[in-house]
Amino acid sequence: MLVAFTSSSTALLAGARAPHSAPAVRMTATVEKPAEAKNPAGNDLLMDLNEPVFPEVCEYAGITLSRYVLEMARANPEKPELNELVSVMTAVERACKTISNLVRRSPMSGLTGLEDGGGSINVQGEEQKKLDIITNTVLKNALKFTGKMGVLASEEEDAPVASQPSDLPGAEDYEWNREVILEESGKYVAVFDPLDGSSNVDANIPTGTIFGIFEEPDGCNVLNGDGEVMDNECLTATMQSGNKLVVGGYCLYSAATEFVMSFGGKTCQGFTLDEQVGEFVLTKPNMKIPSRGKPIYSINEANRWAWDPELTEYITTIQKGEGETGQQYTSRYIGSMVGDVHRTLLYGGIFGYPGDTKNTNGKLRLLYEAAPMAFIVEAAGGAAVSGKGERILDIDPTEDPTGRGVHQRVPVFLGSKDDVAEMRSYYDKK
Ligand code: FDP
């Protein structure tokens, strides 16, 4: 039997781990291959990668995240550099498993609450939780020891940091925000928010890690052979627009831990952590956002009084059931971006964190929140736009008028294509 590796094969792939519920199915998987290098949202792709083929799937183990990543590199032999991404992705995966465990155990291990009793403030003026600091270290260490990273930018770091090993010259200069280490020059740069939604974490509400991996720009060798930063300019290598992402994704820490990612931007794959085995298993292959999903809007309505009148009119209209669908929309807002985006990905609807008269660029950060999420959403066929309706993935962080660098904020609307277009139509008609 030949089974296409599409959303229609979800049940077979997911069910392949349940020996009692279904007869063993031996699968040969073929691939959905778009005719041209466009993502499912219809925008140009940086790389037109072949999706892996799974000629056989173990009925007990399923398709693990590590297998998916390995096979992705194997399916694209003309891009040998993808092999280096395998260790980077292994590091991200391992960090997410560790963070999942830290979050799950935090009420017992004393990791709830604020760092330094509230005395630790990040560059954005936010109080840091103990878990913000620890999860940042977990992710940073996992990535730097791959030996493939040049620069890292994180919500919890003031500035992008170079990466080099502690036993090399320069290690004595180690500072919390001038991170050490690397033996060879890095091939990739990473951006991440180690624990998004952390203001919720003590209440056991879903949180997540968001990450994005870019290639290091041409001609940028951040470190020399001695592991010293040789080009400070290159420390801004993380300042790339989302359309240059090679991999983007998030890990959701909730009732289950789910890892959703797009490798190349052409497809979106969802894995669930099997805690007993310690592996992420493919449970949601080829995720697609319905173009009109459930009638849900997700936005912090407390800010309504400072919104653009166009947005207020749109939300009021769909609340009354007078929008394009004629359905009365309901509100779902966790206040934890990863959880809200995950639900939007699965059910459809619209999620937004707009700019308003108080905060003209909203709250969410372009590089490590908005861009990786937009990458995922477009890979699933949805839309992700900013305040003026521009595609989030096309926004160039180096053109930030506010000068906030890696921490620049951007208004965000994402979700079902038709819902995002309907919201924009209120602006366009003015
Ligand atoms: P948090 O501050 O708890 O880390 O950008 C961070 C974020 O959470 C998002 O996860 C979330 O969507 C948003 O802030 C919530 O902000 P509001 O409380 O202003 O709604």
mmCIF file of all heavy atoms in Angstrom, residues 196-199 300 333 335-337 353 363-365 369, ligand 1:
data_model
loop_
_atom_site.group_PDB
_atom_site.id
_atom_site.type_symbol
_atom_site.label_atom_id
_atom_site.label_comp_id
_atom_site.label_asym_id
_atom_site.label_seq_id
_atom_site.Cartn_x
_atom_site.Cartn_y
_atom_site.Cartn_z
ATOM 1 N N ASP A 196 8.033 31.495 26.926
ATOM 2 C CA ASP A 196 7.020 32.494 26.585
ATOM 3 C C ASP A 196 5.772 32.257 27.436
ATOM 4 O O ASP A 196 5.397 31.113 27.686
ATOM 5 C CB ASP A 196 6.673 32.353 25.098
ATOM 6 C CG ASP A 196 5.761 33.465 24.646
ATOM 7 O OD1 ASP A 196 6.237 34.593 24.526
ATOM 8 O OD2 ASP A 196 4.568 33.196 24.435
ATOM 9 N N GLY A 197 5.164 33.345 27.890
ATOM 10 C CA GLY A 197 3.985 33.210 28.747
ATOM 11 C C GLY A 197 4.355 32.937 30.190
ATOM 12 O O GLY A 197 3.538 32.472 30.981
ATOM 13 N N SER A 198 5.605 33.262 30.554
ATOM 14 C CA SER A 198 6.080 32.872 31.881
ATOM 15 C C SER A 198 5.332 33.576 33.015
ATOM 16 O O SER A 198 5.370 33.118 34.152
ATOM 17 C CB SER A 198 7.585 33.095 32.023
ATOM 18 O OG SER A 198 7.875 34.460 31.866
ATOM 19 N N SER A 199 4.638 34.677 32.699
ATOM 20 C CA SER A 199 3.886 35.319 33.790
ATOM 21 C C SER A 199 2.770 34.388 34.275
ATOM 22 O O SER A 199 2.231 34.562 35.368
ATOM 23 C CB SER A 199 3.330 36.674 33.352
ATOM 24 O OG SER A 199 2.504 36.517 32.239
ATOM 25 N N ASN A 300 -6.419 40.394 23.824
ATOM 26 C CA ASN A 300 -6.611 40.932 25.165
ATOM 27 C C ASN A 300 -7.564 42.126 25.083
ATOM 28 O O ASN A 300 -7.170 43.240 24.734
ATOM 29 C CB ASN A 300 -5.272 41.355 25.766
ATOM 30 C CG ASN A 300 -5.424 41.784 27.211
ATOM 31 O OD1 ASN A 300 -6.532 42.116 27.663
ATOM 32 N ND2 ASN A 300 -4.318 41.787 27.944
ATOM 33 N N TYR A 333 -8.816 33.516 25.159
ATOM 34 C CA TYR A 333 -7.521 34.179 25.301
ATOM 35 C C TYR A 333 -6.836 33.658 26.555
ATOM 36 O O TYR A 333 -7.284 33.904 27.672
ATOM 37 C CB TYR A 333 -7.704 35.704 25.383
ATOM 38 C CG TYR A 333 -6.399 36.474 25.381
ATOM 39 C CD1 TYR A 333 -5.630 36.554 24.231
ATOM 40 C CD2 TYR A 333 -5.933 37.108 26.527
ATOM 41 C CE1 TYR A 333 -4.425 37.246 24.217
ATOM 42 C CE2 TYR A 333 -4.731 37.812 26.521
ATOM 43 C CZ TYR A 333 -3.981 37.880 25.359
ATOM 44 O OH TYR A 333 -2.792 38.570 25.339
ATOM 45 N N GLY A 335 -3.527 34.260 27.105
ATOM 46 C CA GLY A 335 -2.509 35.240 27.519
ATOM 47 C C GLY A 335 -1.136 34.606 27.522
ATOM 48 O O GLY A 335 -0.206 35.079 28.168
ATOM 49 N N SER A 336 -1.002 33.530 26.780
ATOM 50 C CA SER A 336 0.248 32.812 26.635
ATOM 51 C C SER A 336 0.323 32.513 25.140
ATOM 52 O O SER A 336 -0.450 31.698 24.628
ATOM 53 C CB SER A 336 0.149 31.537 27.459
ATOM 54 O OG SER A 336 1.402 31.027 27.736
ATOM 55 N N MET A 337 1.214 33.215 24.435
ATOM 56 C CA MET A 337 1.133 33.201 22.971
ATOM 57 C C MET A 337 1.187 31.790 22.386
ATOM 58 O O MET A 337 0.449 31.467 21.452
ATOM 59 C CB MET A 337 2.271 34.042 22.391
ATOM 60 C CG MET A 337 2.142 34.219 20.902
ATOM 61 S SD MET A 337 3.625 34.934 20.189
ATOM 62 C CE MET A 337 3.038 35.359 18.566
ATOM 63 N N TYR A 353 -2.283 40.464 18.741
ATOM 64 C CA TYR A 353 -1.788 41.391 19.763
ATOM 65 C C TYR A 353 -1.467 42.688 19.024
ATOM 66 O O TYR A 353 -0.390 42.867 18.471
ATOM 67 C CB TYR A 353 -0.574 40.866 20.530
ATOM 68 C CG TYR A 353 -0.544 41.530 21.902
ATOM 69 C CD1 TYR A 353 -0.780 40.803 23.058
ATOM 70 C CD2 TYR A 353 -0.359 42.901 22.014
ATOM 71 C CE1 TYR A 353 -0.826 41.432 24.301
ATOM 72 C CE2 TYR A 353 -0.404 43.539 23.251
ATOM 73 C CZ TYR A 353 -0.644 42.791 24.387
ATOM 74 O OH TYR A 353 -0.689 43.418 25.601
ATOM 75 N N LYS A 363 3.014 44.339 21.937
ATOM 76 C CA LYS A 363 3.881 43.790 22.967
ATOM 77 C C LYS A 363 4.833 42.723 22.429
ATOM 78 O O LYS A 363 5.927 42.537 22.948
ATOM 79 C CB LYS A 363 3.010 43.157 24.056
ATOM 80 C CG LYS A 363 3.803 42.514 25.166
ATOM 81 C CD LYS A 363 2.913 41.992 26.267
ATOM 82 C CE LYS A 363 3.752 41.441 27.408
ATOM 83 N NZ LYS A 363 2.963 40.688 28.367
ATOM 84 N N LEU A 364 4.412 42.015 21.395
ATOM 85 C CA LEU A 364 5.170 40.838 20.977
ATOM 86 C C LEU A 364 6.424 41.229 20.195
ATOM 87 O O LEU A 364 6.422 42.202 19.448
ATOM 88 C CB LEU A 364 4.282 39.910 20.154
ATOM 89 C CG LEU A 364 3.013 39.462 20.895
ATOM 90 C CD1 LEU A 364 2.127 38.619 20.003
ATOM 91 C CD2 LEU A 364 3.363 38.701 22.174
ATOM 92 N N ARG A 365 7.470 40.458 20.399
ATOM 93 C CA ARG A 365 8.759 40.760 19.784
ATOM 94 C C ARG A 365 8.847 40.124 18.389
ATOM 95 O O ARG A 365 8.457 38.965 18.203
ATOM 96 C CB ARG A 365 9.911 40.232 20.657
ATOM 97 C CG ARG A 365 10.437 41.212 21.680
ATOM 98 C CD ARG A 365 9.436 41.797 22.641
ATOM 99 N NE ARG A 365 8.694 40.840 23.431
ATOM 100 C CZ ARG A 365 8.711 40.739 24.748
ATOM 101 N NH1 ARG A 365 9.424 41.569 25.448
ATOM 102 N NH2 ARG A 365 7.976 39.848 25.371
ATOM 103 N N GLU A 369 9.361 35.992 18.635
ATOM 104 C CA GLU A 369 7.965 35.600 18.871
ATOM 105 C C GLU A 369 7.192 35.653 17.546
ATOM 106 O O GLU A 369 6.726 34.636 17.040
ATOM 107 C CB GLU A 369 7.309 36.514 19.913
ATOM 108 C CG GLU A 369 7.882 36.302 21.308
ATOM 109 C CD GLU A 369 7.258 37.207 22.367
ATOM 110 O OE1 GLU A 369 7.126 38.430 22.143
ATOM 111 O OE2 GLU A 369 6.944 36.698 23.451
HETATM 112 P P1 FDP B 1 4.424 36.763 28.983
HETATM 113 O O1 FDP B 1 4.548 38.242 29.192
HETATM 114 O O2 FDP B 1 3.721 36.072 30.116
HETATM 115 O O3 FDP B 1 5.734 36.087 28.609
HETATM 116 O O4 FDP B 1 5.096 38.209 24.993
HETATM 117 C C1 FDP B 1 4.905 37.567 26.148
HETATM 118 C C2 FDP B 1 3.488 37.214 26.495
HETATM 119 O O5 FDP B 1 3.433 36.553 27.714
HETATM 120 C C3 FDP B 1 2.789 36.326 25.437
HETATM 121 O O6 FDP B 1 3.043 34.969 25.605
HETATM 122 C C4 FDP B 1 1.345 36.642 25.615
HETATM 123 O O7 FDP B 1 0.577 36.414 24.447
HETATM 124 C C5 FDP B 1 1.360 38.083 26.004
HETATM 125 O O8 FDP B 1 2.631 38.348 26.594
HETATM 126 C C6 FDP B 1 0.264 38.415 26.983
HETATM 127 O O9 FDP B 1 0.251 39.779 27.215
HETATM 128 P P2 FDP B 1 -0.967 40.502 27.989
HETATM 129 O O10 FDP B 1 -0.900 40.051 29.399
HETATM 130 O O11 FDP B 1 -0.709 41.949 27.816
HETATM 131 O O12 FDP B 1 -2.235 40.059 27.330
#
